[in-house]
Amino acid sequence: PKEEDLGGFNLDISGMYTRNIVTCSGTTSIRAAAAKMSRNKCSSICIENPQGLGCGVVTDNDLRVKVIATGLDTAKPVADIMSTPLAAVQVGASVFEALMVMMQKGIKHLAVTDDNDKVIGVITNQDLLQLQGQSPLILIREINEAQSIDAIIDKHAKLPRMIQGLINAGAKADNVTRLITTLSDAILEKVIAFTLEESDPPPVKFVFMILGSEGRKEQTLKTDQDNAIIFEDVPAGKLDTVRAYFLKLGEKICRRLDRAGYDFCEGGIMAQNPEWCLMLSEWQTKFKAWIHAPEPEALLRSSIFFDFRGAMVKWR
């Protein structure tokens, strides 16, 4: 079997996006922009800058959430509610590329641009969902809408079958690992959100880091956890209390990840380990020691940390 059989993941988006796009300037009123969308029976409008290049987008959802629900004056410029910068893929991109952008950004509309970055069309999640009944878009939506850890476990259980289908059909390895990473990120964000909701407010700003294969966007199905916490510097008299909070938070998150299918790291590289739950200055000291120490173990530990990618929970 060929990868092209995978619900069209490797197909070019050229025949799928809407070319008759609706546009307006950022100074157009919200009311006029909405009227233009209604006349053209479309769910989004592209906002152009004076050079005629797309700089943002307004969708039906923006009108509901940012205008109707808040009672915003519709005489205000549409630029006030547009999503910017404009999320886009170039014409000729594959369905998989468009799918990944939508999943990672949590959006339903994606601009299609030419080689000069001029918007020439729009592709929606519905366009992609029509290609495959078991689309990863559906799974990530279910993860984002999950209301409990048990629901997260149920969604994660669907992942092996989906990935097995991709592998059996000859999917490219980098596409498969990027997809697994994106879905794992979504699960981790929900786990962190659930845990924070039932915990006391964080005493200081912090970052929950993902390391290793997930940090490199190379995660496979058989994987363990690699994570850490960095929290804001505090006076020595408060350090024990603040560290205890984040160790407890890290333990809850790591245990829930284990329940969801992400095994504990045998090497202990997890946020529940005091060695991997430190304040910023402590991390700086540790890095200096790793960099200047010739021992193989120090080099291994520093290389694991350098594999990190973006914080799941940024400074709060």
Side-chain angles (χ1 to χ4, degrees):
K2 298 180 180 179
E3 192 173 28
E4 284 80 356
D5 298 330
L6 281 175
F9 275 138
N10 262 15
L11 294 178
D12 190 310
I13 63 171
S14 296
M16 304 172 193
Y17 65 86
T18 301
R19 290 173 171 78
N20 297 322
I21 58 173
V22 178
T23 65
C24 70
S25 71
T27 57
T28 302
S29 71
I30 296 172
R31 183 184 301 110
K36 194 169 187 179
M37 290 169 62
S38 180
R39 287 197 303 273
N40 288 273
K41 298 180 179 179
C42 61
S43 59
S44 65
I45 187 166
C46 178
I47 315 303
E48 293 185 332
N49 61 22
Q51 291 73 43
L53 299 177
C55 61
V57 66
V58 170
T59 68
D60 282 343
N61 187 63
D62 291 323
L63 294 175
R64 290 194 300 270
V65 175
K66 300 178 182 178
V67 182
I68 298 174
T70 63
L72 185 66
D73 183 359
T74 57
K76 288 183 175 294
V78 72
D80 286 1
I81 64 166
M82 72 178 180
S83 297
T84 187
L86 185 65
V89 290
Q90 280 201 328
V91 63
S94 68
V95 167
F96 185 87
E97 290 174 304
L99 177 72
M100 291 302 297
V101 174
M102 284 189 182
M103 290 174 63
Q104 291 169 345
K105 294 184 178 295
I107 57 178
K108 299 179 180 179
H109 296 74
L110 196 60
V112 180
T113 60
D114 62 16
D115 293 337
N116 298 315
D117 291 328
K118 183 175 178 60
V119 178
I120 59 175
V122 174
I123 190 166
T124 70
N125 63 330
Q126 291 301 318
D127 296 326
L128 299 182
L129 287 172
Q130 290 175 4
L131 294 173
Q132 184 176 346
Q134 298 299 317
S135 170
L137 274 174
I138 295 176
L139 182 55
I140 201 165
R141 183 180 64 194
E142 291 176 344
I143 292 170
N144 290 334
E145 294 176 352
Q147 298 298 311
S148 67
I149 292 296
D150 288 338
I152 289 292
I153 294 172
D154 177 67
K155 304 313 174 190
H156 182 267
K158 296 181 180 180
L159 187 55
R161 184 172 182 178
M162 177 183 291
I163 298 304
Q164 187 63 56
L166 294 173
I167 294 173
N168 290 343
K172 297 177 182 177
D174 58 341
N175 282 350
V176 173
T177 54
R178 281 178 61 199
L179 179 60
I180 294 173
T181 299
T182 300
L183 292 166
S184 295
D185 285 354
I187 289 173
L188 177 55
E189 288 186 26
K190 290 296 290 189
V191 168
I192 293 174
F194 288 146
T195 307
L196 285 172
E197 285 174 3
E198 65 181 36
S199 303
D200 293 332
V204 295
K205 298 175 182 178
F206 75 102
V207 173
F208 190 95
M209 306 295 293
I210 48 174
L211 316 174
S213 59
E214 188 175 356
R216 298 190 303 271
K217 301 184 182 181
E218 297 174 354
Q219 193 168 39
T220 61
L221 279 177
K222 185 60 178 177
T223 188
D224 62 359
Q225 299 179 42
D226 290 301
N227 48 56
I229 285 178
I230 305 174
F231 57 89
E232 201 172 26
D233 283 353
V234 295
K238 295 183 178 180
L239 180 56
D240 288 345
T241 301
V242 172
R243 193 192 310 279
Y245 172 91
F246 286 112
L247 282 172
K248 184 177 180 180
L249 182 71
E251 180 182 4
K252 289 181 179 179
I253 293 172
C254 290
R255 287 189 179 282
R256 285 176 164 175
L257 288 174
D258 179 65
R259 284 185 59 201
Y262 300 93
D263 295 342
F264 287 128
C265 173
E266 293 184 0
I269 303 173
M270 294 177 290
Q272 67 180 20
N273 184 340
E275 187 178 352
W276 295 87
C277 180
L278 305 171
M279 66 179 178
L280 182 58
S281 60
E282 291 175 322
W283 277 117
Q284 291 170 334
T285 300
K286 186 178 287 289
F287 262 88
K288 289 177 182 178
W290 283 343
I291 292 170
H292 295 292
E295 291 85 358
E297 184 178 352
L299 293 174
L300 173 61
R301 287 173 177 264
S302 62
S303 68
I304 289 172
F305 201 96
F306 281 125
D307 285 335
F308 80 84
R309 173 179 52 81
M312 289 292 99
V313 173
K314 300 184 180 179
W315 294 114
R316 299 176 72 96

